[in-house]
Amino acid sequence: MATSKGKSKVSPSSSEAATKKTSSSTTTKSKAKPSKSAIGAPSQLNQSSRKGKKAWRKNVDITDVEATMEELRAEERVTGTTIGQMKDGELFFTDVKGDDKVRHILPKFSTAQLTSTKILAQRSAVPAVFSRTTSSSSKRKSALSREEKERLLRIAKRPRKGPFNSVLDPSEYKDGSGVVDLSEAVKKSGTYDAWAPEEVPEEAMKDGMETVYKPKVKPPTTKKTKDLISIPAIVQPHQGTSYNPPADAHQELLEKAAAIELKHLEKLEKMAEVKNKMDSAKVTAEAREEGVAPGMKVQEIGDVDMDDGEQEEENQDGGEGLKTKKVPERKTKAQRRKAARVLAEQRALALRAQRKRMLTAINEAKSLRRSNAREAAAREAEREAKRLAAEEKLKTQGLAGQKLGKHKVPEGRVEVQLGEDLSENLRGLKPEGSLFHDRFQSLQQRALIEPRVPVIPKKRRNRIIEYEKHAWKRFE
């Protein structure tokens, strides 16, 4: 039994050894280095000699790395990127409705299609590389300017051409024989604004009281008057001013001129009325002061203050009685107490009435608040309407009729001819108005110049001063 057991134990060990030997030989055969690369690259893995570091680095087996990289490139050609970098939303989605366009998109099977056509039909998702210049490449690399190119040529001491296609000597570029570099002032010309506010550096502002800077003046937010005016520089004349105008336009212009003239006449009448009143008052004052030297006034009798004795004598003589001032009598203590009591009662009654009014006002506070709000809203609406009307008038008519400073901006004159004065032809037309006057008036109405009045020159009058010399004083 023991022998048989020993034999049975030996037989498995020998079989295992044989199996290991067979498997090792199989593994050695499977791990044999290929003679060519899987992607078509030249292979040098079968080199027998491995002497030196260079040989080891050159003959390292990276077949698995190249295979993985080729798989990634294939994915990138199909999808534009690798699948590992794509999100789940780009890879999967729930299709609840079928795609009707799949049948039209999918390529049709054709046995007659050439193999080259099939290869060309497989387009890569990766954009192609262009050898020509594109817009993106031009952004990265900007073209050199002429000054920069000349500067680089001078640094490299390359020959430069001057006037008449002559070659300049590099050592004499700045001796007058060639073009000298532009100065900093010329390069920065046009970029400096002399009227711009000075920028205060932040470091200087931290100095505290050591450095003092003027505060920046904020520009006003109100609009200028000339920006609100939109009337043209040359206003189109009315149809009624023509030498052969339509009847309606001519009548309309005549009525407008008549209204302006009536307004002017009313103003003259008011001024004449005021002048007449002043003249009549002056005549009345002169009539009262008849027989009195000019510039003196006669005091009335009632204004003269006389003593009590004189008044009594006047009354006794039978003259006109004058009102005498009654001297108030001195009050007694009882009268003073009574007056103080009456005054206190009056004050108490006034205080009670004031308190009653205040309580009534408290009860009516809500109604008063609503009425005040309505009045304020009405006033605000009226003010806004006036403002809009003034802006509209300013927009259409300008400053015509408004007083600015000493003078008033003139309004446009209405130039119209009567029916019998119309010429009806260009031969008998008489020019009216003045282009200079119209232009000057337009500048005033558009707030470009201040209103002025014509200054009439006066003739200078030299006063003759006579001197009498001492010699001529002796008359013989």
Side-chain angles (χ1 to χ4, degrees):
M1 294 295 292
T3 310
S4 62
K5 288 180 180 178
K7 287 181 180 179
S8 61
K9 288 181 181 179
V10 171
S11 59
S13 62
S14 59
S15 62
E16 288 176 4
T19 306
K20 287 180 181 179
K21 185 176 181 181
T22 307
S23 62
S24 62
S25 61
T26 307
T27 308
T28 307
K29 291 180 181 178
S30 63
K31 288 185 179 180
K33 299 176 182 179
S35 59
K36 292 183 180 180
S37 175
I39 59 175
S43 178
Q44 296 179 353
L45 305 178
N46 296 329
Q47 185 177 355
S48 58
S49 175
R50 295 288 182 93
K51 294 181 179 179
K53 295 180 180 179
K54 185 176 181 181
W56 278 99
R57 285 196 302 270
K58 190 174 182 181
N59 300 296
V60 174
D61 187 9
I62 55 172
T63 308
D64 51 350
V65 178
E66 290 178 351
T68 306
M69 294 297 292
E70 187 62 26
E71 291 177 3
L72 294 177
R73 293 191 194 100
E75 292 178 2
E76 191 173 0
R77 283 193 295 271
V78 176
T79 61
T81 179
T82 57
I83 298 177
Q85 295 178 357
M86 297 175 67
K87 297 181 180 179
D88 294 343
E90 299 175 356
L91 294 172
F92 310 101
F93 68 96
T94 305
D95 187 5
V96 296
K97 183 180 178 182
D99 193 355
D100 299 335
K101 299 181 180 179
V102 172
R103 186 167 300 178
H104 303 286
I105 295 173
L106 292 176
K108 295 181 180 179
F109 177 76
S110 176
T111 55
Q113 192 176 13
L114 298 176
T115 307
S116 60
T117 309
K118 294 180 181 179
I119 294 172
L120 293 175
Q122 297 177 358
R123 307 301 297 172
S124 175
V126 181
V129 180
F130 295 95
S131 59
R132 58 186 175 84
T133 307
T134 57
S135 60
S136 59
S137 62
S138 62
K139 290 180 181 178
R140 292 193 299 269
K141 185 178 180 181
S142 59
L144 292 176
S145 61
R146 183 176 60 84
E147 293 81 3
E148 186 68 15
K149 189 174 181 180
E150 290 181 358
R151 189 181 66 83
L152 294 175
L153 287 174
R154 284 195 300 272
I155 293 173
K157 296 183 179 180
R158 298 287 296 276
R160 295 173 53 208
K161 293 185 178 181
F164 303 106
N165 215 10
S166 61
V167 179
L168 302 179
D169 187 4
S171 61
E172 297 181 356
Y173 280 162
K174 295 190 178 182
D175 292 342
S177 60
V179 181
V180 187
D181 285 345
L182 297 176
S183 62
E184 292 295 328
V186 176
K187 290 179 181 178
K188 296 181 180 179
S189 62
T191 59
Y192 175 71
D193 187 4
W195 303 105
E198 296 182 0
E199 297 182 359
V200 180
E202 296 182 359
E203 299 178 357
M205 294 178 67
K206 297 177 182 179
D207 294 345
M209 296 302 294
E210 298 178 2
T211 310
V212 180
Y213 294 95
K214 293 182 180 180
K216 292 184 178 179
V217 180
K218 294 183 179 180
T221 55
T222 56
K223 295 182 179 179
K224 296 181 180 180
T225 308
K226 64 180 182 179
D227 297 337
L228 300 175
I229 300 172
S230 61
I231 58 176
I234 300 174
V235 183
Q236 187 176 1
H238 197 273
Q239 289 184 353
T241 58
S242 175
Y243 65 92
N244 189 12
D248 298 338
H250 187 250
Q251 186 65 26
E252 181 185 351
L253 195 60
L254 281 175
E255 292 176 358
K256 186 177 180 181
I260 294 174
E261 190 63 25
L262 284 175
K263 189 176 179 181
H264 182 62
L265 290 175
E266 288 177 1
K267 185 177 179 181
L268 291 177
E269 288 178 359
K270 287 183 180 179
M271 292 177 65
E273 186 179 352
V274 172
K275 186 178 180 182
N276 292 335
K277 287 182 180 180
M278 293 174 64
D279 293 341
S280 61
K282 187 176 181 181
V283 169
T284 306
E286 288 178 355
R288 287 180 180 177
E289 298 178 0
E290 240 177 54
V292 184
M296 294 182 65
K297 291 183 180 180
V298 179
Q299 193 173 12
E300 295 183 1
I301 302 175
D303 296 340
V304 180
D305 295 334
M306 295 187 298
D307 298 337
D308 296 340
E310 294 178 357
Q311 290 179 4
E312 290 176 0
E313 291 177 0
E314 189 72 25
N315 294 336
Q316 291 175 1
D317 295 337
E320 296 180 358
L322 299 175
K323 292 181 181 181
T324 59
K325 292 182 180 180
K326 195 173 183 180
V327 180
E329 296 180 358
R330 187 179 181 83
K331 293 182 180 180
T332 60
K333 290 184 179 181
Q335 290 176 345
R336 290 197 187 95
R337 285 196 296 271
K338 184 178 179 181
R341 188 169 58 255
V342 170
L343 182 62
E345 290 177 0
Q346 290 178 354
R347 287 179 178 174
L349 289 173
L351 186 61
R352 191 181 302 170
Q354 183 182 1
R355 185 177 180 81
K356 189 176 181 180
R357 287 195 301 270
M358 184 181 68
L359 292 174
T360 307
I362 289 174
N363 295 331
E364 298 177 356
K366 292 184 179 180
S367 61
L368 289 174
R369 190 184 300 112
R370 286 194 294 268
S371 63
N372 290 337
R374 284 195 297 269
E375 291 177 1
R379 287 195 299 269
E380 186 66 25
E382 185 179 358
R383 191 183 302 109
E384 185 68 17
K386 288 183 179 179
R387 187 184 65 81
L388 292 176
E391 285 186 0
E392 186 65 24
K393 183 179 179 182
L394 191 67
K395 184 178 181 181
T396 55
Q397 300 180 8
L399 297 176
Q402 299 184 18
K403 187 177 181 181
L404 296 177
K406 294 182 180 180
H407 309 296
K408 187 178 180 182
V409 179
E411 298 181 1
R413 296 184 299 179
V414 179
E415 297 174 356
V416 61
Q417 294 179 347
L418 300 178
E420 57 270 15
D421 296 338
L422 292 175
S423 62
E424 297 185 0
N425 54 27
L426 290 174
R427 289 178 180 270
L429 181 64
K430 296 180 181 179
E432 292 187 2
S434 173
L435 294 177
F436 175 78
H437 181 274
D438 295 343
R439 185 64 175 167
F440 189 73
Q441 184 176 280
S442 175
L443 291 174
Q444 291 178 351
Q445 292 177 354
R446 289 183 292 134
L448 297 178
I449 58 175
E450 60 181 355
R452 297 290 186 90
V453 294
V455 179
I456 301 173
K458 295 181 180 179
K459 188 176 180 181
R460 185 177 179 182
R461 296 180 180 178
N462 296 327
R463 185 168 57 91
I464 300 174
I465 303 175
E466 296 181 356
Y467 296 97
E468 187 177 0
K469 294 185 178 181
H470 185 73
W472 295 95
K473 289 182 180 180
R474 299 176 182 177
F475 301 98
E476 294 180 357

